[in-house]
């Protein structure tokens, strides 16, 4: 029986291995992690991450050919293929701080694999890593191999949270990069055979190592670029009276462009986009390409600008102050159908409003109070480091309350900020909402989920990103 082990039981490792176990019943799959609470959650009725469809897949395979364990060394030693899906956070100090990826956890994993292995192994990069990481990992394994052969492959993930299981069942492509040597090609074929259990072979793309590593960074940079592009246009739409939804539709019908990732919003978030672009910038700078680095930096700058612009619009619309005013925050996750808050625009929007002394009442159907308070107390990039390096106890912020009902969050609020596109926010009884709020009642829709005209008929003053401005707002400056 082929044995697969995945080091790292997070958003990538857990779902990916669960689907491999489901689709390949003759393969034994173990997901290992040193974090006991996380492994305990994977073995419980309440999984550590929320992802539609994940529950059913895990419960069908768990205990049969899918196992979650803290016994990392045992499962690594017994495996034929080791996936490494550990964090590659942005460095917060030292060379490349604020841009370069921190490969501490990857290096530790590689040394551990070399120490415990007693048989030849294929080691697969599943984390997003800088180009040429495989070369560094090869050197560590080669110098510690004790007669054992290790072959390195790059197999980056292209999952979208909220649709990860669907993406795994029916991927656009599976990318496998390896050395152009007999051993490298043999390893590529071995991994391709795993995916070929359910993915058509023509969708399994095989490249060299460096192309696979760079393709992941490039794909995320291109997707983020599209969002920043349409968000830049949304500012112009507001200034001219154009409607960004209509503009996006007109652009998206061009077959050369296509409609995806053209929804204007308060900004992009998630664990990958900003981190991967910063990594790309650092690699460009290190390779003497400052013009290319500056090009990609602009994608981040526009994203930061969009969040700042949103906060300034809220404050300027409400008589240029939100001090002491209750603002209801609807949605804290970076997108719907996930509880993930990594780099969510809500963090910067909330911090901006708190800086003007607003009182925030936050509701998100999938994000816990502890997570929200922790996110608002953390420094940038700390979220991607181990829990013991994060703030031990989130500071008690009296300006923030977290509630488990949207109507409770809104009651007596001066304004509402919609920051995640959860479907339930479209279905709220906005007449009931209006009646429960202070007047004038403001709605700032950062995801364009509400019908602005209907809300105006009720009595709301409405701001929707990239849409023609409410008459109330036209004379209000968007940027302080």
């Amino acid at each position: 029986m082929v044995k697969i082990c995945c080091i790292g039981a997070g958003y990538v490792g857990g779902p990916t291995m669960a689907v491999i176990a489901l689709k390949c019943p003759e393969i034994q799959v173990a997901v290992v992690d040193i974090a006991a609470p996380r492994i305990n959650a994977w073995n419980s009725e309440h999984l550590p991450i929320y992802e539609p469809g994940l529950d059913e897949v895990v419960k069908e395979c768990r205990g049969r050919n899918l196992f979650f364990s803290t016994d990392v060394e045992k499962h690594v030693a017994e495996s034929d293929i080791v996936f490494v899906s550990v964090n590659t956070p942005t460095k917060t100090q030292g060379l490349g701080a604020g841009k370069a990826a921190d490969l501490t956890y990857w290096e530790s994993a590689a040394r551990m694999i070399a120490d415990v292995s007693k048989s030849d192994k294929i080691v697969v990069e599943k984390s997003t890593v800088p180009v040429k990481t495989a070369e560094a990992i090869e050197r560590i394994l080669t110098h510690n191999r004790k007669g054992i052969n290790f072959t390195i492959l790059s197999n980056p993930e292209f999952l979208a949270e909220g649709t990860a299981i669907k993406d795994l069942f029916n991927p656009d492509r599976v990318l496998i990069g390896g050395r152009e040597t007999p051993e490298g090609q043999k390893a590529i074929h071995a991994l391709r055979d795993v995916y070929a259990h359910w993915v058509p072979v023509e969708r399994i793309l095989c490249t060299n190592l460096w192309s696979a590593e760079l393709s992941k960074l490039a794909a995320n940079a291109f997707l983020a670029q599209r969002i920043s592009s349409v968000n830049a246009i949304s500012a112009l739409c507001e200034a001219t009276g154009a409607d960004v939804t209509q503009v996006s539709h007109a652009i998206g019908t061009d077959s050369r462009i296509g409609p995806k990732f053209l929804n204007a919003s308060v900004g992009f978030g998630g664990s990958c986009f900003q981190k991967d672009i910063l990594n790309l910038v650092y690699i460009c700078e290190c390779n003497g390409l400052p013009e290319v680095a500056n090009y990609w930096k602009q994608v981040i700058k526009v994203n930061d600008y969009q969040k700042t612009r949103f906060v300034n619009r809220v404050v300027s619309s409400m008589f240029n102050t939100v001090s002491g005013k209750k603002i209801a925050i609807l949605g804290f996750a970076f997108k719907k159908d996930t509880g993930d808050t990594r780099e969510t625009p809500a963090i910067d929007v909330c911090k901006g409003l708190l800086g003007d002394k607003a009182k925030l009442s936050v509701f998100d159907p999938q994000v816990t109070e502890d997570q929200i308070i922790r996110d608002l107390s953390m420094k940038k990039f700390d979220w991607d480091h181990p829990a013991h390096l994060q703030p031990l106890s989130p500071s008690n912020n009296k300006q923030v309350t977290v509630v488990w009902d949207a109507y409770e969050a809104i009651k007596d609020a001066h304004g509402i900020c919609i920051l995640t596109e959860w479907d339930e926010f479209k279905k709220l009884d906005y007449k009931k909402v209006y009646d429960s709020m202070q007047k004038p009642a403001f709605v700032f829709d950062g995801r364009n989920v509400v019908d602005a005209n209907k809300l105006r008929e009720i009595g709301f003053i409405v701001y929707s990103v990239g849409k023609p401005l409410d008459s109330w707002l036209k004379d209000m400056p968007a940027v302080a």
Side-chain angles (χ1 to χ4, degrees):
M1 174 185 272
V2 173
K3 290 186 177 181
I4 289 176
C5 175
C6 177
I7 303 172
Y11 279 89
V12 174
T16 303
M17 294 303 114
V19 170
I20 287 177
L22 180 72
K23 297 293 187 179
C24 310
E26 78 283 7
I27 294 177
Q28 181 177 306
V29 180
V31 183
V32 297
D33 201 297
I34 58 172
R38 179 179 286 180
I39 291 299
N40 291 340
W42 279 110
N43 283 318
S44 74
E45 291 301 302
H46 302 288
L47 303 186
I49 61 176
Y50 173 73
E51 189 66 50
L54 177 61
D55 234 35
E56 293 83 351
V57 175
V58 169
K59 285 171 183 175
E60 183 168 339
C61 305
R62 192 172 59 195
R64 185 190 69 194
N65 67 323
L66 175 64
F67 304 92
F68 297 93
S69 173
T70 55
D71 197 343
V72 179
E73 295 186 358
K74 171 182 179 291
H75 288 286
V76 168
E78 293 175 354
S79 63
D80 305 294
I81 303 174
V82 181
F83 285 82
V84 183
S85 187
V86 297
N87 277 2
T88 50
T90 302
K91 290 182 74 172
T92 54
Q93 54 189 4
L95 184 65
K99 286 180 286 195
D102 185 344
L103 297 179
T104 302
Y105 311 114
W106 236 110
E107 183 177 339
S108 296
R111 291 184 184 280
M112 183 271 295
I113 291 168
D115 285 344
V116 305
S117 293
K118 297 179 176 62
S119 58
D120 294 354
K121 300 207 182 320
I122 297 170
V123 179
V124 183
E125 294 176 340
K126 199 65 184 167
S127 319
T128 302
V129 293
V131 183
K132 296 285 187 174
T133 296
E135 193 166 63
I137 302 308
E138 271 184 338
R139 287 176 179 171
I140 290 168
L141 292 172
T142 301
H143 284 86
N144 292 275
R145 66 185 179 185
K146 299 171 289 191
I148 296 165
N149 294 315
F150 297 101
T151 312
I152 314 295
L153 297 178
S154 174
N155 175 220
E157 55 84 17
F158 296 99
L159 305 179
E161 286 182 46
T163 58
I165 298 301
K166 191 172 81 172
D167 296 341
L168 285 162
F169 280 173
N170 187 31
D172 289 338
R173 79 297 204 190
V174 170
L175 184 59
I176 303 172
R179 288 284 194 187
E180 292 161 314
T181 61
E183 296 79 16
Q185 294 304 300
K186 183 180 177 184
I188 288 174
H189 292 153
L191 186 55
R192 186 181 68 184
D193 288 347
V194 172
Y195 285 110
H197 279 74
W198 77 97
V199 181
V201 174
E202 62 271 16
R203 283 199 223 161
I204 303 176
L205 311 181
C206 300
T207 68
N208 71 34
L209 269 172
W210 324 130
S211 296
E213 289 180 338
L214 184 55
S215 292
K216 168 63 179 186
L217 295 181
N220 279 345
F222 273 58
L223 292 173
Q225 176 198 49
R226 284 175 69 93
I227 298 172
S228 281
S229 294
V230 78
N231 281 344
I233 295 298
S234 77
L236 186 58
C237 286
E238 291 168 28
T240 59
D243 185 324
V244 74
T245 305
Q246 296 173 358
V247 174
S248 295
H249 179 68
I251 295 169
T253 54
D254 188 323
S255 60
R256 297 167 300 176
I257 298 172
K260 294 183 178 180
F261 279 76
L262 288 180
N263 293 323
S265 70
V266 67
F268 61 71
S271 62
C272 292
F273 282 178
Q274 177 162 296
K275 185 171 77 167
D276 288 357
I277 294 171
L278 291 171
N279 198 344
L280 192 60
V281 166
Y282 183 69
I283 293 166
C284 291
E285 289 173 345
C286 290
N287 282 280
L289 301 169
E291 293 82 4
V292 182
N294 288 334
Y295 176 81
W296 290 112
K297 275 182 192 173
Q298 199 60 37
V299 174
I300 301 287
K301 285 183 180 178
V302 170
N303 195 51
D304 290 339
Y305 163 73
Q306 189 77 342
K307 291 180 283 189
T308 302
R309 198 170 73 83
F310 186 87
V311 172
N312 290 341
R313 179 68 78 181
V314 174
V315 176
S316 65
S317 301
M318 299 175 72
F319 312 103
N320 219 35
T321 179
V322 290
S323 179
K325 294 176 182 175
K326 179 180 177 181
I327 308 291
I329 304 295
L330 297 188
F332 199 85
F334 84 92
K335 63 188 284 192
K336 71 173 186 177
D337 292 333
T338 179
D340 195 353
T341 63
R342 293 176 291 179
E343 293 291 352
T344 176
I347 293 173
D348 287 335
V349 170
C350 288
K351 284 184 175 180
L353 295 172
L354 290 169
D356 207 78
K357 300 183 180 177
K359 293 181 178 178
L360 305 184
S361 183
V362 187
F363 166 71
D364 188 290
Q366 286 296 331
V367 185
T368 65
E369 177 178 3
D370 181 65
Q371 187 62 51
I372 290 168
I373 300 301
R374 185 179 288 275
D375 284 336
L376 293 178
S377 66
M378 255 192 264
K379 293 178 183 175
K380 200 165 185 63
F381 304 125
D382 277 355
W383 56 268
D384 206 16
H385 290 265
H388 68 276
L389 296 179
Q390 297 173 9
L392 286 178
S393 55
S395 57
N396 184 21
N397 193 328
K398 293 177 182 177
Q399 290 174 258
V400 181
T401 57
V402 180
V403 297
W404 281 101
D405 176 76
Y407 293 106
E408 179 66 24
I410 293 163
K411 185 180 177 184
D412 292 325
H414 292 77
I416 299 169
C417 294
I418 302 174
L419 302 183
T420 311
E421 70 281 19
W422 287 103
D423 291 338
E424 65 188 83
F425 300 152
K426 300 176 187 176
K427 301 169 186 172
L428 293 174
D429 181 343
Y430 280 97
K431 179 64 172 72
K432 175 182 173 182
V433 166
Y434 181 78
D435 290 342
S436 75
M437 291 178 67
Q438 303 280 345
K439 309 298 185 295
F442 296 85
V443 172
F444 302 93
D445 187 357
R447 296 289 181 171
N448 286 337
V449 299
V450 300
D451 185 326
N453 290 328
K454 284 185 179 176
L455 265 60
R456 287 183 183 121
E457 287 172 9
I458 293 171
F460 286 102
I461 296 160
V462 184
Y463 167 71
S464 294
V465 171
K467 299 294 186 80
L469 293 176
D470 193 299
S471 56
W472 175 286
L473 304 172
K474 283 183 179 174
D475 297 325
M476 302 282 185
V479 179

